[in-house]
Each structure stands twice: as structure tokens, then as C-alpha cells.
Amino acid sequence: MVDVEKEARLKKKALSFGQQHIFRFWDELNDRQKQQLLNQIETINFDLMVILKEKYLKQSKSSLASSDLEPTDIIPIPTTAQQIARAEQAKLVGEQLLKKGKVGAILVAGGQGTRLGFDGPKGKFLAGPISRKSLFQLHAEKIKAIGQKYQTIIPWFIMTSETNHQETLEFFNDHKHFGLNAADVIFFTQSMIPAIDEQGRFFLDEKHHIFCNPNGHGGTIYALRDNGCLTEMKRRGIEELFYFQVDNVLIKICDPIFLGYHHQAQAEMSSKVVRKTDPEEKVGVIGKINGKLTVIEYSDLPQSAMEARDETGQLKYHSGSIAIHAIRRDFIERLTDRDFSLPYHVAHKAIPYIDEMGNYIEPDSPNGYKFEMFIFDALPYASNSVVMEVARQDEFSPIKDADGKNSPATAEQDLMNYFGRMLQRAGVSVVFDHNNNLSGKLEISSLFALDVAELKQKLPPNFRFDGEMYFAPEQ
């Protein structure tokens, strides 16, 4: 039976906020559908939606001036003896953190594979060049390999969304958590937030459901609190968190060098960056505004700053953000222990909806606004931060679109090129073409060899690469 008291209260609330249309099909719904709609409405912060409408739809966007920006110091890819020695020292610090069980991993995996033409959580997408392992499995095997190398447990916190939570859980259960202890793989869901039209009204995407989207990767910090993950981290003695997103096939999970630099600096939140390929590359850049470290979105970067050069002729703002962070647990606790919110970002999007007649409409042009928080907006609140540059070809190849740049094809090739360089550094003759792409097909499981040293140790004498090879995990 439907809770009539709740029904009356929420109908009154919807009316007071000008959202009474969400009950348009009420009389057509069965009791289960009515209860689902009421439960969803109860989770919506109506006051917040009014604020977002006033702030983002009625106010013109302020432009950022080049004079407001300044580059930030970064730790470069080591080339000199001094830089290499410093990196080795940082690595020792990071390795100690791992060995002592002070590190946890956070994976943001709330998205679907829609842009890839893939039906399901993006983490289920098959990305192994030869093995056809899913993104989830590739990440899981890295975590397992790191745990074996340092004789430790790395608790893995995986953030899902309302859209894919159940399917993600079933996928991990069906695959026995890819060899990890189920108790050390902790799933938690991020919050959802309604989209609005030009008048600030919600969309119905079913007669008993309001269209909502995940509240962005910035929602991670609140979801960790609200799902009890921070309490669990503290119970386990976790101090540092390695944050990454599901679609990067080259991710170096819990990189001890990065963790070491971060910890040595007593940083609260740190970032990895890659050098931009050209001024127009559509990535956010890390810089300073009013002395505070922040990520400036590509769309907010003035053309003059985008093209600015330093005294050596290099791009002045070249540090491209790649959504890899080290974050102290107590920093997240501090941010979420008070009435604090990261800013929201608005995007004008085509949003499917149910019209007044109950017809399902898929618009071919933007008709509404989605709101998201971004994790990098926490950077200005960190007392100390480290920014570390890494080689793009070794650490960053995301799967974003079905074709072209950042597609499954480019990620697969980047992975094979990475494995080819591993073989080459282990002393094996490997051929690359004029585009620096590996000639042949190659995949090396993290459970066979996590790094070049381990690979070199396991290769038989006089080993030759025959043009197609898969180094399978050791049983």
C-alpha cells in the first residue's frame, strides 16, 4: 500500500517548488510504481535545485582573464641523476606505505558505456588486446599483483551509480572478484541529481521516474562519507588514497613514487599530469588562480593563456589533468565534516523525457541542463599539494569514444606499445613501425609481471618475441 501521508506531503512539496508535473501520471501507476516515485522524490534536495537554477541558468558565466593565472611547480619526469635519485627516494617512502597497509584505492566507475555503443557499466568493456579481459579485470589484477609484491592488502573502494550498481556487483560476484578477497572490494554508490529544463523543471524519463544523472566524480568525497567508507578506512588504518577512473587502461595503480612524493610533502591532495600535445588539446590544465592550485577547464581557459609560451618556447600552461590523485583520508574527513560543497558545473545536454501524452522523446539537440561536481575542485582547499608529470605513453590512455582519438582501438594499441617497451627494456628485440606502434600483438598480465624487473627475471634465456604473444597470469 502507498503511504498516503508521504504522498500528501511530497505532493505539497512538489507544488510549492513548481514541480507538480512529476505527479502527472500518478493515477496510471500501480502501488509499486507510486512507491518508487515517492522514494525517489524524497531523495531530491529541492532547495539545492533552486539554488543551481538561480546560479547557473540566470547568471552569465564570468570569464577568466590570463592575468588571473599562473603556472604551478611540477615534479618533472626524471632525467638527471639528481632527479632519478629523488624519485628512487620517493619510491622507497611509497613502498613503505604500501607494505604497512596504509594505502587504499578508489575507483570511479559510475558511468555506462553508452558513448562506446556498449550496453552496461563501462568497467565491463573488454579491453585486453589478446585476453579480452574487461577494464574491471585489468584493474583488479594490478591490485592483486601489487598486493603480492608488497605482501599487503590494498582495499579497493569502487564507486558505482544508481544506473549500474547492481550490474557491477553481479559482474564481480560472477567472476569471484577476479581473485581478490571479496571483503576487500567495497562498493558504494554516488548520489544522483535531477536535470532541469529552461524553466528549471524536472524531466520524467518514465511515468514513475524522474531523470537524474550521477552527481559527478566530485561526489566521491560525499559518497565515501555517506556510505560509511571513511569509517571503514579509518578502522583499517588507511591514511592515503589513490584515486583513478575506470577508463584509463594504462593506469599505474598505487604508484609508489607518486604516493611517496605526496607523503613526503605532507600533501593533502596531489595530482598526476601529462604534457599537453598542443595548445588546442581539450584537457583541463593545472595552474594557480590567486595563489591556489586548481584545474582550469579547457572551455574556461582564455585563448591567450592557451597559446602562451614560456622563455624556452614551451607551452606556459602545459600540465594536462588526467584525473589521477593521491588524497589523504583525513582531508576528505575535514571537507565533509562541515557544511561544505564543491561547486557544481553545468552542461547543456540532450535529455530524453516523457512528454505530456506519455510519449518517450529522444531530442536531437540540447533541451536541458545537467549538474556535476568535479573532484579536482577540492585542490584549492588542500594545505599542500604535489603535481607530478608522467609520460603519457606509459600512464594515460582512456577509452572515451567509439572511434578516433581515445577509442578502444587507440587504447589497445597504446597497451601493446607499453608491453612492447617492457619487453625491449627487458633486453628483448622488438620492432616498432614509423608511428612507434608495436609490430605484432602483445599482452602481459600484471599477474605475470608488474614491471620490467619482474619480467626480465621470468623470461627464459635467449627469449624471442614471435610477433604475437600473451603472457598469462601464473596459476
Side-chain angles (χ1 to χ4, degrees):
M1 291 291 293
V2 175
D3 185 333
V4 292
E5 186 178 320
K6 181 193 277 191
E7 176 188 342
R9 173 170 53 84
L10 293 179
K11 281 184 174 179
K12 182 179 179 181
K13 186 173 188 177
L15 178 63
S16 68
F17 281 92
Q19 303 286 358
Q20 61 269 26
H21 66 285
I22 60 180
F23 287 99
R24 177 182 293 139
F25 302 104
W26 185 255
D27 293 337
E28 299 179 30
L29 307 180
N30 60 39
D31 283 353
R32 181 181 59 83
Q33 291 172 328
K34 287 179 178 179
Q35 197 60 52
Q36 286 178 341
L37 180 58
L38 292 177
N39 290 344
Q40 185 190 22
I41 293 170
E42 204 161 37
T43 67
I44 294 172
N45 186 335
F46 284 77
D47 292 311
L48 172 64
M49 299 312 299
V50 171
I51 292 170
L52 294 180
K53 176 189 173 185
E54 295 295 319
K55 185 172 183 179
Y56 294 103
L57 268 62
K58 293 192 174 181
Q59 294 183 9
S60 59
K61 190 174 180 181
S62 59
S63 58
L64 189 66
S66 297
S67 58
D68 296 333
L69 298 174
E70 57 180 315
T72 189
D73 294 330
I74 65 168
I75 299 171
I77 298 171
T79 54
T80 68
Q82 184 179 14
Q83 290 170 345
I84 292 170
R86 186 183 173 202
E88 285 298 319
Q89 181 57 41
K91 183 179 180 182
L92 292 174
V93 173
E95 287 178 332
Q96 283 302 307
L97 288 170
L98 289 166
K99 289 175 182 176
K100 291 177 180 178
K102 301 292 185 183
V103 180
I106 299 176
L107 172 65
V108 178
Q112 296 289 94
T114 310
R115 282 166 63 183
L116 304 174
F118 176 72
D119 184 22
K122 200 172 188 180
K124 288 176 62 174
F125 189 80
L126 304 181
I130 297 175
S131 67
R132 306 317 297 157
K133 290 174 182 173
S134 66
L135 286 163
F136 280 139
Q137 183 167 357
L138 294 177
H139 299 327
E141 290 187 355
K142 287 179 185 178
I143 288 174
K144 184 176 180 180
I146 295 163
Q148 291 173 345
K149 179 173 182 176
Y150 296 110
Q151 297 184 312
T152 190
I153 293 172
I154 299 172
W156 192 14
F157 295 84
I158 301 175
M159 187 172 77
T160 62
S161 66
E162 175 190 284
T163 313
N164 69 10
H165 181 74
Q166 192 58 41
E167 190 174 350
T168 300
L169 259 62
E170 290 172 0
F171 189 68
F172 272 78
N173 286 330
D174 290 345
H175 291 84
K176 297 181 172 56
H177 293 79
F178 306 105
L180 295 170
N181 186 339
D184 298 321
V185 183
I186 300 101
F187 297 93
F188 65 106
T189 55
Q190 68 184 120
S191 296
M192 306 290 283
I193 187 168
I196 58 176
D197 65 15
E198 300 285 350
Q199 288 73 46
R201 303 200 319 162
F202 302 155
F203 293 92
L204 286 173
D205 57 0
E206 293 182 75
K207 291 182 179 181
H208 65 287
H209 189 268
I210 298 165
F211 176 90
C212 291
N213 57 272
N215 64 350
H217 45 75
T220 307
I221 65 172
Y222 305 100
L224 287 170
R225 176 197 64 189
D226 297 341
N227 289 274
C229 297
L230 293 175
T231 302
E232 177 65 11
M233 291 170 180
K234 191 170 185 177
R235 184 187 72 79
R236 289 173 178 255
I238 296 171
E239 296 176 0
E240 303 286 7
L241 302 167
F242 182 90
Y243 167 100
F244 66 108
Q245 296 182 355
V246 74
D247 56 14
N248 182 7
V249 297
L250 289 179
I251 184 73
K252 193 175 286 186
I253 298 174
C254 295
D255 174 14
I257 298 176
F258 180 48
L259 290 169
Y261 277 130
H262 167 78
H263 193 74
Q264 284 175 317
Q266 296 184 312
E268 290 188 313
M269 183 172 179
S270 298
S271 306
K272 281 190 175 187
V273 296
V274 296
R275 190 166 289 266
K276 286 181 65 175
T277 55
D278 60 75
E280 301 291 335
E281 186 182 6
K282 294 182 179 181
V283 295
V285 297
I286 291 189
K288 286 186 176 180
I289 299 177
N290 299 323
K292 292 285 189 179
L293 191 68
T294 190
V295 172
I296 302 101
E297 290 186 88
Y298 168 80
S299 56
D300 291 339
L301 195 64
Q303 192 70 28
S304 56
M306 195 180 296
E307 297 175 357
R309 303 277 174 171
D310 61 21
E311 60 278 3
T312 68
Q314 300 294 313
L315 286 176
K316 188 175 181 180
Y317 302 101
H318 59 73
S319 301
S321 174
I322 55 174
I324 300 172
H325 302 285
I327 311 172
R328 282 191 62 86
R329 186 205 76 236
D330 56 13
F331 174 57
I332 298 178
E333 289 174 342
R334 178 164 65 82
L335 288 182
T336 58
D337 192 37
R338 51 197 173 96
D339 185 19
F340 166 83
S341 175
L342 293 177
Y344 280 85
H345 297 255
V346 63
H348 199 198
K349 296 286 187 179
I351 297 167
Y353 65 98
I354 298 289
D355 69 12
E356 293 181 6
M357 303 301 293
N359 301 310
Y360 185 75
I361 307 296
E362 289 195 23
D364 52 14
S365 60
N367 63 324
Y369 298 88
K370 291 182 178 181
F371 299 94
E372 291 183 310
M373 291 181 286
F374 296 159
I375 190 79
F376 55 66
D377 283 325
L379 280 169
Y381 300 95
S383 58
N384 287 310
S385 294
V386 163
V387 180
M388 174 180 160
E389 182 183 352
V390 296
R392 183 189 298 255
Q393 66 268 26
D394 289 339
E395 299 201 34
F396 185 58
S397 183
I399 300 176
K400 298 287 188 186
D401 297 302
D403 301 296
K405 190 177 180 182
N406 297 332
S407 66
T410 59
E412 182 175 307
Q413 189 63 61
D414 288 344
L415 257 180
M416 292 193 294
N417 293 345
Y418 175 77
F419 296 137
R421 290 191 297 275
M422 280 183 69
L423 268 187
Q424 196 173 58
R425 290 167 186 162
V428 178
S429 177
V430 178
V431 176
F432 291 87
D433 66 18
H434 64 283
N435 291 319
N436 292 320
N437 288 330
L438 176 73
S439 296
K441 295 197 72 171
L442 175 64
E443 183 175 351
I444 302 172
S445 167
S446 299
L447 292 171
F448 180 87
L450 191 58
D451 52 36
V452 174
E454 191 176 359
L455 179 61
K456 193 171 185 178
Q457 187 179 29
K458 290 183 176 180
L459 290 176
N462 303 315
F463 175 82
R464 294 172 65 88
F465 174 54
D466 65 7
E468 181 166 341
M469 191 164 290
Y470 172 50
F471 291 83
E474 296 185 317
Q475 301 300 319

